Amino acid sequence: YIKRTRSDNYRSQHRGGKGVKGAQLRADDVVEHFFVTTTHHWLLFFTNKGRVYRTKAYEVPEAGRDAKGQHVANLLALQPEEEIAQILDIRDYGVATYLVLATRGGLVKKTRLTEYDTNRQGGVIAIRLREDASEDAADDDEGTDEVVSALLVDEGDDILLISRHGMSLRFAATDEALRPMGRSTSGVKGMSFREGDSLLSASVADDDDYVFVVTEGGFAKRTEVAQYKVQGRGGLGIKVAKLSDDRGVLAGGLIVRED
Protein backbone atom coordinates (compact mmCIF):
# COMPACT_ATOMS: atom_id res chain seq x y z
CA TYR A 1 0.00 0.00 0.00
CA ILE A 2 1.19 3.52 -0.78
CA LYS A 3 0.17 7.03 0.27
CA ARG A 4 1.50 10.53 0.76
CA THR A 5 0.89 12.62 3.88
CA ARG A 6 1.75 16.27 4.52
CA SER A 7 4.96 16.38 6.57
CA ASP A 8 3.51 18.98 8.97
CA ASN A 9 1.29 16.14 10.28
CA TYR A 10 4.42 14.93 12.09
CA ARG A 11 5.97 16.93 14.93
CA SER A 12 9.49 16.72 16.35
CA GLN A 13 9.67 14.39 19.36
CA HIS A 14 12.22 13.24 21.92
CA ARG A 15 14.33 10.14 21.33
CA GLY A 16 13.17 6.97 23.08
CA GLY A 17 9.40 7.52 23.01
CA LYS A 18 6.68 5.45 21.38
CA GLY A 19 6.15 7.90 18.53
CA VAL A 20 2.88 8.56 16.68
CA LYS A 21 1.03 6.39 14.20
CA GLY A 22 2.29 6.86 10.64
CA ALA A 23 0.16 4.32 8.76
CA GLN A 24 -2.73 1.91 9.21
CA LEU A 25 -1.41 -1.58 8.42
CA ARG A 26 -2.96 -4.89 7.51
CA ALA A 27 -2.34 -7.70 10.02
CA ASP A 28 1.02 -8.92 8.66
CA ASP A 29 2.12 -5.82 6.76
CA VAL A 30 5.15 -3.63 7.59
CA VAL A 31 6.36 -0.24 6.33
CA GLU A 32 9.22 -0.73 3.87
CA HIS A 33 9.81 2.74 2.36
CA PHE A 34 9.45 6.15 3.96
CA PHE A 35 10.85 9.43 2.62
CA VAL A 36 10.17 13.13 2.13
CA THR A 37 9.54 14.55 -1.34
CA THR A 38 7.52 17.25 -3.17
CA THR A 39 4.53 16.78 -5.46
CA HIS A 40 6.24 17.55 -8.77
CA HIS A 41 9.21 15.20 -8.33
CA TRP A 42 9.45 12.01 -10.35
CA LEU A 43 9.25 8.84 -8.26
CA LEU A 44 11.31 5.97 -9.67
CA PHE A 45 10.21 2.57 -8.36
CA PHE A 46 12.90 -0.11 -8.64
CA THR A 47 11.63 -3.65 -8.17
CA ASN A 48 13.36 -6.74 -6.80
CA LYS A 49 13.10 -8.25 -10.31
CA GLY A 50 15.27 -5.51 -11.82
CA ARG A 51 12.67 -3.29 -13.50
CA VAL A 52 11.98 0.42 -12.96
CA TYR A 53 8.61 2.22 -13.11
CA ARG A 54 7.94 5.92 -12.69
CA THR A 55 5.15 8.28 -11.67
CA LYS A 56 4.83 11.86 -10.46
CA ALA A 57 4.54 12.26 -6.68
CA TYR A 58 1.16 14.03 -7.02
CA GLU A 59 -0.27 10.85 -8.62
CA VAL A 60 0.22 9.03 -5.30
CA PRO A 61 -3.04 9.35 -3.32
CA GLU A 62 -2.94 11.78 -0.40
CA ALA A 63 -4.16 10.42 2.95
CA GLY A 64 -3.93 11.12 6.67
CA ARG A 65 -1.39 9.76 9.14
CA ASP A 66 -3.50 6.79 10.15
CA ALA A 67 -4.82 5.87 6.67
CA LYS A 68 -3.86 2.69 4.85
CA GLY A 69 -3.41 4.25 1.40
CA GLN A 70 -3.99 2.68 -2.01
CA HIS A 71 -2.60 -0.61 -3.33
CA VAL A 72 0.50 0.05 -5.42
CA ALA A 73 -0.86 -2.21 -8.20
CA ASN A 74 -3.45 0.53 -8.89
CA LEU A 75 -0.60 2.96 -9.55
CA LEU A 76 2.02 0.81 -11.33
CA ALA A 77 1.60 -2.00 -13.86
CA LEU A 78 3.73 -4.44 -11.84
CA GLN A 79 4.45 -7.94 -13.12
CA PRO A 80 3.51 -11.05 -11.05
CA GLU A 81 5.62 -11.49 -7.88
CA GLU A 82 7.30 -8.12 -8.42
CA GLU A 83 7.93 -6.13 -5.23
CA ILE A 84 9.33 -2.62 -4.76
CA ALA A 85 12.96 -2.73 -3.61
CA GLN A 86 13.73 1.01 -3.60
CA ILE A 87 12.12 4.32 -4.50
CA LEU A 88 14.10 7.38 -5.61
CA ASP A 89 12.61 10.84 -5.93
CA ILE A 90 14.24 13.18 -8.45
CA ARG A 91 13.42 16.68 -9.71
CA ASP A 92 14.48 15.71 -13.24
CA TYR A 93 16.94 13.45 -15.02
CA GLY A 94 19.72 16.05 -14.78
CA VAL A 95 20.10 15.84 -10.98
CA ALA A 96 22.93 13.29 -11.26
CA THR A 97 25.10 11.78 -13.97
CA TYR A 98 24.63 8.13 -13.07
CA LEU A 99 22.32 5.71 -11.37
CA VAL A 100 23.99 2.85 -9.48
CA LEU A 101 22.07 -0.34 -8.64
CA ALA A 102 23.27 -2.89 -6.08
CA THR A 103 21.99 -6.46 -5.64
CA ARG A 104 21.69 -8.78 -2.65
CA GLY A 105 24.43 -10.94 -4.15
CA GLY A 106 26.90 -8.01 -4.11
CA LEU A 107 26.80 -6.92 -7.76
CA VAL A 108 26.88 -3.22 -8.63
CA LYS A 109 26.05 -1.50 -11.91
CA LYS A 110 26.42 2.10 -13.08
CA THR A 111 24.29 3.50 -15.91
CA ARG A 112 23.64 7.04 -17.15
CA LEU A 113 20.50 8.36 -15.40
CA THR A 114 19.10 9.72 -18.69
CA GLU A 115 18.77 6.13 -19.99
CA TYR A 116 15.85 5.68 -17.56
CA ASP A 117 13.89 8.66 -18.93
CA THR A 118 11.09 6.76 -20.66
CA ASN A 119 7.30 6.94 -20.70
CA ARG A 120 6.69 3.19 -20.97
CA GLN A 121 3.80 2.28 -18.65
CA GLY A 122 5.02 -1.28 -18.13
CA GLY A 123 8.38 -0.14 -16.81
CA VAL A 124 11.80 -0.87 -18.31
CA ILE A 125 14.65 -3.21 -17.44
CA ALA A 126 17.01 -1.51 -15.00
CA ILE A 127 19.40 -4.43 -14.46
CA ARG A 128 19.56 -7.97 -15.78
CA LEU A 129 19.69 -10.24 -12.74
CA ARG A 130 21.86 -13.35 -12.69
CA GLU A 131 20.57 -16.70 -11.54
CA ASP A 132 23.65 -17.49 -9.45
CA ALA A 133 25.02 -14.13 -8.35
CA SER A 134 23.88 -14.68 -4.78
CA GLU A 135 24.25 -18.42 -4.43
CA ASP A 136 25.89 -18.05 -1.00
CA ALA A 137 23.62 -15.21 0.06
CA ALA A 138 21.30 -15.63 3.00
CA ASP A 139 17.51 -15.87 2.68
CA ASP A 140 17.81 -16.79 -0.97
CA ASP A 141 15.80 -19.89 -1.81
CA GLU A 142 15.94 -20.04 -5.57
CA GLY A 143 19.40 -18.66 -6.24
CA THR A 144 18.00 -15.68 -8.16
CA ASP A 145 19.58 -12.34 -7.24
CA GLU A 146 17.49 -9.26 -6.47
CA VAL A 147 17.90 -5.48 -6.30
CA VAL A 148 18.40 -3.99 -2.82
CA SER A 149 19.55 -0.40 -3.49
CA ALA A 150 19.39 2.31 -6.14
CA LEU A 151 21.41 5.51 -5.75
CA LEU A 152 22.27 8.69 -7.66
CA VAL A 153 25.99 9.04 -8.28
CA ASP A 154 28.32 11.61 -9.87
CA GLU A 155 31.89 11.12 -11.05
CA GLY A 156 34.19 11.29 -8.00
CA ASP A 157 31.64 9.97 -5.49
CA ASP A 158 32.45 7.10 -3.15
CA ILE A 159 30.01 4.24 -2.57
CA LEU A 160 29.67 2.42 0.74
CA LEU A 161 28.30 -1.13 0.68
CA ILE A 162 27.01 -2.60 3.96
CA SER A 163 26.31 -6.30 4.51
CA ARG A 164 23.68 -7.88 6.75
CA HIS A 165 26.37 -9.42 8.98
CA GLY A 166 28.06 -6.11 9.70
CA MET A 167 30.76 -5.79 7.01
CA SER A 168 31.28 -2.71 4.84
CA LEU A 169 33.26 -1.76 1.76
CA ARG A 170 33.91 1.77 0.52
CA PHE A 171 35.11 2.21 -3.06
CA ALA A 172 35.42 5.05 -5.60
CA ALA A 173 32.71 5.14 -8.29
CA THR A 174 35.04 6.59 -10.93
CA ASP A 175 34.66 5.39 -14.53
CA GLU A 176 37.96 3.50 -14.14
CA ALA A 177 36.82 1.63 -11.02
CA LEU A 178 33.19 1.18 -12.13
CA ARG A 179 32.68 1.62 -15.85
CA PRO A 180 29.26 2.78 -17.10
CA MET A 181 27.08 0.05 -18.66
CA GLY A 182 23.79 -0.13 -20.56
CA ARG A 183 20.40 -0.62 -18.92
CA SER A 184 19.99 -4.36 -19.51
CA THR A 185 23.42 -5.53 -18.31
CA SER A 186 24.02 -7.34 -15.03
CA GLY A 187 26.88 -5.37 -13.48
CA VAL A 188 30.15 -6.33 -11.77
CA LYS A 189 31.16 -7.59 -8.32
CA GLY A 190 30.99 -4.85 -5.72
CA MET A 191 31.58 -6.88 -2.57
CA SER A 192 32.36 -10.46 -1.57
CA PHE A 193 30.72 -12.17 1.41
CA ARG A 194 31.41 -14.89 3.93
CA GLU A 195 28.93 -17.75 3.98
CA GLY A 196 25.38 -16.74 4.87
CA ASP A 197 25.96 -13.00 4.39
CA SER A 198 24.39 -10.74 1.76
CA LEU A 199 24.19 -7.06 0.81
CA LEU A 200 21.92 -4.91 3.00
CA SER A 201 22.38 -1.46 1.44
CA ALA A 202 24.49 0.80 -0.77
CA SER A 203 24.91 4.55 -0.22
CA VAL A 204 26.93 7.49 -1.52
CA ALA A 205 29.44 8.31 1.24
CA ASP A 206 31.29 11.57 1.92
CA ASP A 207 33.89 12.21 4.66
CA ASP A 208 31.64 14.87 6.28
CA ASP A 209 28.80 12.35 6.74
CA TYR A 210 28.12 9.56 9.23
CA VAL A 211 27.38 5.88 8.73
CA PHE A 212 24.22 5.03 10.70
CA VAL A 213 23.41 1.37 11.36
CA VAL A 214 20.61 -0.26 13.35
CA THR A 215 20.33 -3.92 14.31
CA GLU A 216 17.26 -6.14 14.33
CA GLY A 217 17.46 -6.06 18.14
CA GLY A 218 17.03 -2.28 18.12
CA PHE A 219 20.63 -1.11 18.76
CA ALA A 220 21.87 1.84 16.69
CA LYS A 221 25.07 3.85 16.28
CA ARG A 222 26.70 6.33 13.96
CA THR A 223 30.35 6.50 12.90
CA GLU A 224 32.20 9.11 10.84
CA VAL A 225 32.51 8.07 7.19
CA ALA A 226 36.16 9.21 7.36
CA GLN A 227 36.88 6.13 9.51
CA TYR A 228 36.11 3.90 6.51
CA LYS A 229 39.08 3.87 4.14
CA VAL A 230 38.60 3.61 0.38
CA GLN A 231 39.31 0.07 -0.85
CA GLY A 232 39.22 -1.77 -4.13
CA ARG A 233 35.89 -3.06 -5.37
CA GLY A 234 35.11 -6.75 -4.80
CA GLY A 235 36.72 -7.49 -1.42
CA LEU A 236 35.23 -8.59 1.92
CA GLY A 237 35.61 -5.10 3.40
CA ILE A 238 35.89 -4.12 7.07
CA LYS A 239 33.58 -4.39 10.10
CA VAL A 240 30.91 -1.70 10.41
CA ALA A 241 29.46 -2.99 13.71
CA LYS A 242 30.16 -5.60 16.36
CA LEU A 243 27.14 -7.90 16.33
CA SER A 244 25.99 -10.41 18.94
CA ASP A 245 23.05 -12.80 19.32
CA ASP A 246 20.97 -10.39 21.40
CA ARG A 247 21.63 -7.49 19.02
CA GLY A 248 20.87 -9.49 15.90
CA VAL A 249 22.06 -8.85 12.36
CA LEU A 250 21.80 -5.41 10.75
CA ALA A 251 18.32 -4.26 9.78
CA GLY A 252 19.43 -0.98 8.17
CA GLY A 253 22.52 0.95 7.16
CA LEU A 254 22.46 4.44 5.70
CA ILE A 255 24.35 7.73 5.47
CA VAL A 256 23.22 10.64 7.66
CA ARG A 257 24.34 14.18 8.51
CA GLU A 258 24.28 15.98 11.88
CA ASP A 259 20.89 17.52 11.10
Side-chain angles (χ1 to χ4, degrees), residues 9-106:
N9 285 3
Y10 298 88
R11 58 189 171 79
S12 182
Q13 294 172 284
H14 291 295
R15 180 174 62 74
K18 277 188 169 175
V20 294
K21 192 164 208 137
Q24 187 74 40
L25 297 176
R26 289 277 177 105
D28 57 348
D29 205 5
V30 293
V31 176
E32 288 279 6
H33 306 278
F34 179 88
F35 58 95
V36 179
T37 184
T38 66
T39 49
H40 285 279
H41 277 200
W42 283 111
L43 300 183
L44 303 183
F45 295 84
F46 295 88
T47 71
N48 58 336
K49 305 287 190 189
R51 296 180 73 79
V52 57
Y53 301 79
R54 77 173 186 181
T55 183
K56 284 284 193 181
Y58 59 73
E59 293 174 46
V60 175
E62 185 171 350
R65 261 201 303 112
D66 52 359
K68 194 175 68 195
Q70 181 191 68
H71 199 280
V72 74
N74 297 333
L75 191 71
L76 309 173
L78 295 176
Q79 296 181 351
E81 295 180 22
E82 235 182 348
E83 295 173 7
I84 294 163
Q86 176 113 28
I87 308 168
L88 290 182
D89 70 304
I90 58 172
R91 188 184 65 247
D92 55 47
Y93 287 83
V95 293
T97 314
Y98 298 107
L99 177 96
V100 169
L101 294 174
T103 74
R104 192 173 300 289

Side-chain angles (χ1 to χ4, degrees), residues 153-175:
V153 172
D154 286 309
E155 180 71 21
D157 284 345
D158 287 352
I159 292 175
L160 183 77
L161 304 177
I162 298 175
S163 84
R164 202 162 276 282
H165 288 185
M167 299 301 289
S168 69
L169 190 143
R170 178 183 179 183
F171 68 93
T174 60
D175 286 353

Side-chain angles (χ1 to χ4, degrees), residues 224-238:
E224 293 172 339
V225 169
Q227 292 189 30
Y228 298 82
K229 65 180 193 297
V230 178
Q231 298 176 281
R233 182 171 58 71
L236 284 166
I238 57 173

